[in-house]
């Protein structure tokens, strides 16, 4: 059940992130509430993933441990880079902000894809 919850929560976060990214590219100021929901869904999805990892029997988890660890690491890095974007973009908002946002989106997408692959292998 946590597998479905993790995928759903992180999927919603990814969709919100895609929408926020689209708004950024269109140079439309995004709503702080949507950004907050994006963060909340990402954190809740990570928590569901950690709970799923803890509930798996050792022999099942051992088969896909590297994939789970890589997905978790990338998703945590996506959260950290997302939180760091305002600090990174302080001096040069468009150049540094765009680069940091691109790194955030790429790392988040890779982590989500690895999560899907991991969930399919369980």
């Amino acid at each position: 059940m946590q597998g479905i919850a993790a995928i759903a929560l992180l999927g919603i976060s990814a969709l919100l992130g895609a929408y926020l990214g689209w708004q950024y590219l269109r140079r439309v100021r995004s709503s702080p509430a949507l950004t907050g929901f994006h963060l909340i869904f990402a954190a809740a999805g990570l928590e569901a993933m950690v709970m799923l990892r803890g509930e798996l029997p050792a022999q099942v988890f051992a088969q896909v441990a590297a994939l789970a660890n890589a997905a978790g690491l990338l998703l945590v890095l996506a959260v950290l880079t997302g939180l760091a974007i305002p600090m990174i973009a302080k001096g040069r908002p468009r150049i540094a902000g765009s680069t940091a946002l691109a790194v955030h989106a790429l790392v988040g997408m890779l982590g989500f894809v690895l999560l899907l692959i991991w969930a399919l292998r369980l």
Side-chain angles (χ1 to χ4, degrees):
M1 189 63 157
Q2 271 89 10
I4 295 171
I7 291 170
L9 290 168
L10 289 168
I12 292 169
S13 178
L15 289 174
L16 281 171
Y19 176 75
L20 291 168
W22 177 251
Q23 294 294 87
Y24 178 81
L25 291 174
R26 291 180 47 217
R27 296 182 186 250
V28 174
R29 184 154 172 82
S30 61
S31 163
L34 283 180
T35 305
F37 282 122
H38 174 60
L39 176 62
I40 289 169
F41 280 113
L46 276 173
E47 178 65 26
M49 183 180 168
V50 169
M51 288 173 41
L52 172 64
R53 186 177 171 201
E55 288 183 1
L56 290 175
Q59 65 272 17
V60 172
F61 182 72
Q63 297 171 355
V64 290
L67 198 53
N69 291 337
L73 178 65
L74 286 173
L75 291 170
V76 167
L77 285 174
V79 170
L80 292 176
T81 57
L83 290 173
I85 287 173
M87 292 178 279
I88 293 169
K90 212 47 156 172
R92 302 166 96 184
R94 205 65 192 166
I95 296 169
S98 296
T99 304
L101 191 61
V103 168
H104 168 70
L106 181 64
V107 170
M109 284 187 290
L110 287 172
F112 186 67
V113 168
L114 285 180
L115 171 70
L116 291 176
I117 294 169
W118 175 52
L120 289 173
R121 289 188 169 197
L122 291 179

